Amino acid sequence: MRILALLLSIMFAACLPARSQAPDNRLLEFYASLDPDIRVNLQRALMWADAYVGIADGSFDRRSIEAVRTFQRNLNQAPTGMLTGEQVKELAQRANRIEAAFNYRLHHDSATGVTVGLPMTFVDKSAPTRRGTQFTSQNGEVDLTTIRIPLAERTLSDLYRLHTTRSGRKVSYSVFRGDWFVVTGVEANKHFYIRAHAWGDDIRGFAISYPEEHAKVFGRLSTVMSSDFKPDSSAQSVAQARMNWGNFSNRFATAQPQRPAPAPGIVAAAPPTPQPPSPPVGGPSEPAKGGVSTGTGFLVSSQGHFLTNAHVVEQCRQVGVGVFGNATVVDRDKTNDLALLKVDAVVKGKPLTFSQIGPRLGEEVMALGYPLPSLLQNGLNVTKGDVSSLAGIGGDSRFLQFTAAIQPGNSGGPLVNRRGAVLGVVTSKLNAIRVASAVGDIPQSINFAIRPELAELYLRRHGIAIARAPDAEKPMEAHELVAAIQDAVSLVICTQ
């Protein structure tokens, strides 16, 4: 850990005036001025000091500043967010002391190909397993296992479901991002942390379990291990990959989510601040007069639940769904741009099913929605295309990319396969003008949908059991497909 470089580069912060609560914009500017390696080292030190939970990618945002304030509070000092020279020295000493106590070392595991951090103080025994290598403490209380599973045997989403629904297991945190997941919780009176990535033809990852008495110290260790984890010795670590994506996405920092089109004679709300990492997408709709905007949603339960984008129902005083009238916004997930609506009216449509298998590169898809209603005024619109990538810009695994044409107002609509099963939730399109100015070429047919795994997990969190369409079902002609599912797709109206 290059704490010396951290100390030398940040020490001049002591010369800046201390305040009871420094303004966040001033702090963001200050930390942004530091070398990226320094920001990474600072985040790692805050991890070891049990003040920061996250990936040490050098993206020093408000959460990182709050971690600085947490550390200052732990010192019983004013939480200014601006470290003094003495505080940096104390932080470095604490981090080095804890890291040394763990005897933390990066280890390349030849059985799986992964690189993982090992707390050698606790795991001094190792033995091969069917799927990797098991590292344990002498008394067996601490267990760290590397994992390599062929995708031909089990998909990543199946493994995620197994770990989140296992009987007798209490999951405290879980996140699925299409090509990786993390699950933490308690089972058989032991805490566990699991991280797994789809890599080539395999699933690669690690799992660590430890007793309650180690929970405090091993909680911080698991975040450091996540930052350092490499699915392959030639690959970047999780933190390095995040750093590279952040550098790319900064070129499009002013891009906005695709806003729904305004209804006739009305003004759409101001676009929201983008939540990184987001793809460089098309800008907001042109404003009109009033305070109404529109998008699309689709039925996901027979009780009247509709799924749409979070940005479709942002800043809405009232939300309506098609012919069903007023709807309640049950929940908005801004990070993954999903929202759940509920209508009280009786719905006659059948909830859409989700595909039994994930989207496949080159698979034919259709986008259904209500684009530009103030201009087209022709009801449901259907376009055809293909899945062109299984990730978004910069490899963002929350998204898939498709070529079916979309316009403002398509946001929140379903992307379906030829069997009418959901493969994604339409969310955005590439801003061709912005990208052309950045790379010198005009992109074509680059649109994005939220991956179905994220939508499924989101619905499951709200107690909605989705139905699955067997892959063996015969593909339908376009007109047959539309006739079968069109009653489940509705216009969403947002009144500010």
Side-chain angles (χ1 to χ4, degrees), residues 399-453:
F399 301 92
L400 61 85
Q401 183 180 316
F402 63 96
T403 60
I406 62 170
Q407 306 297 335
N410 271 111
S411 292
L415 186 72
V416 300
N417 62 18
R418 286 286 303 276
R419 297 167 179 81
V422 176
L423 283 182
V425 183
V426 174
T427 186
S428 55
K429 62 189 294 186
L430 201 68
N431 187 321
I433 296 175
R434 189 177 302 280
V435 173
S437 66
V439 303
D441 192 22
I442 299 176
Q444 300 181 28
S445 303
I446 301 180
N447 307 311
F448 301 96
I450 299 157
R451 290 184 63 96
E453 299 96 329

Side-chain angles (χ1 to χ4, degrees), residues 336-404:
N336 295 309
D337 200 15
L338 292 170
L340 184 64
L341 312 179
K342 173 73 166 61
V343 299
D344 292 330
V346 176
V347 292
K348 64 177 182 178
K350 184 179 179 181
L352 294 191
T353 60
F354 280 68
S355 177
Q356 194 164 358
I357 61 175
R360 292 166 288 191
L361 200 62
E363 184 172 4
E364 187 176 353
V365 293
M366 298 176 65
L368 290 80
Y370 290 83
L372 304 171
S374 59
L375 175 65
L376 301 179
Q377 298 182 352
N378 58 357
L380 184 66
N381 187 277
V382 182
T383 55
K384 294 193 291 184
D386 304 296
V387 175
S388 51
S389 175
L390 298 179
I393 293 294
D396 192 336
S397 56
R398 295 176 300 168
F399 301 92
L400 61 85
Q401 183 180 316
F402 63 96
T403 60

Side-chain angles (χ1 to χ4, degrees), residues 57 59 239-253 276-277 394:
D57 58 1
S59 176
Q240 289 168 333
R242 284 272 295 268
M243 288 176 68
N244 287 348
W245 162 231
N247 291 337
F248 182 90
S249 63
N250 284 340
R251 297 168 62 190
F252 304 94

